[in-house]
Amino acid sequence: MERFIAFDVETPNARNHRMSSIGICVVEGGAIVKSYSSLVNPETHFDPFNIYLTGITPEMVRTAPRFPELWSEIGPMMQSGILIAHNAAFDMKVLSQCLMAYE
């Protein structure tokens, strides 16, 4: 069976151009072989709606890694198989926006 990477992101505001958290599961042969989750400092403002929806506040991410620091850790994992997500259009857009913004 193929290896795939399931992931989910949360965002701090309606622009959906940065993430405030990410969760990742690597699946091989139908079994989770690795999981990872982290808050992310989005370096932008939080909308009250997103705080209500996700429960993530600016205070919670203040000392969390920024996306470039996080990518150095999760990039190899994310690039090791097919990416899937429950709301793939949303999650892939946020990931793409972060990758483009931070080059």
Side-chain angles (χ1 to χ4, degrees):
M1 176 173 243
E2 283 189 43
R3 175 184 177 101
F4 64 88
I5 294 82
F7 77 106
D8 182 53
V9 301
E10 301 298 342
T11 59
N13 58 53
R15 290 191 60 200
N16 297 328
H17 70 302
R18 296 285 193 275
M19 60 180 73
S20 54
S21 75
I22 187 167
I24 305 165
C25 283
V26 179
V27 179
E28 285 182 12
I32 296 172
V33 296
K34 184 170 186 173
S35 63
Y36 178 91
S37 66
S38 179
L39 291 173
V40 183
N41 183 337
E43 301 183 288
T44 190
H45 74 280
F46 278 71
D47 287 344
F49 174 78
N50 292 66
I51 293 171
Y52 172 76
L53 181 67
T54 67
I56 301 169
T57 67
E59 294 78 21
M60 293 169 67
V61 301
R62 187 164 286 125
T63 60
R66 297 170 37 251
F67 183 79
E69 298 151 357
L70 187 70
W71 187 251
S72 66
E73 184 175 351
I74 67 170
M77 183 182 351
M78 296 286 284
Q79 296 168 342
S80 69
I82 297 168
L83 293 178
I84 66 167
H86 170 70
N87 188 356
F90 174 81
D91 294 307
M92 290 297 290
K93 178 184 176 212
V94 174
L95 178 61
S96 176
Q97 293 282 339
C98 288
L99 287 168
M100 287 189 299
Y102 289 102
E103 300 178 351

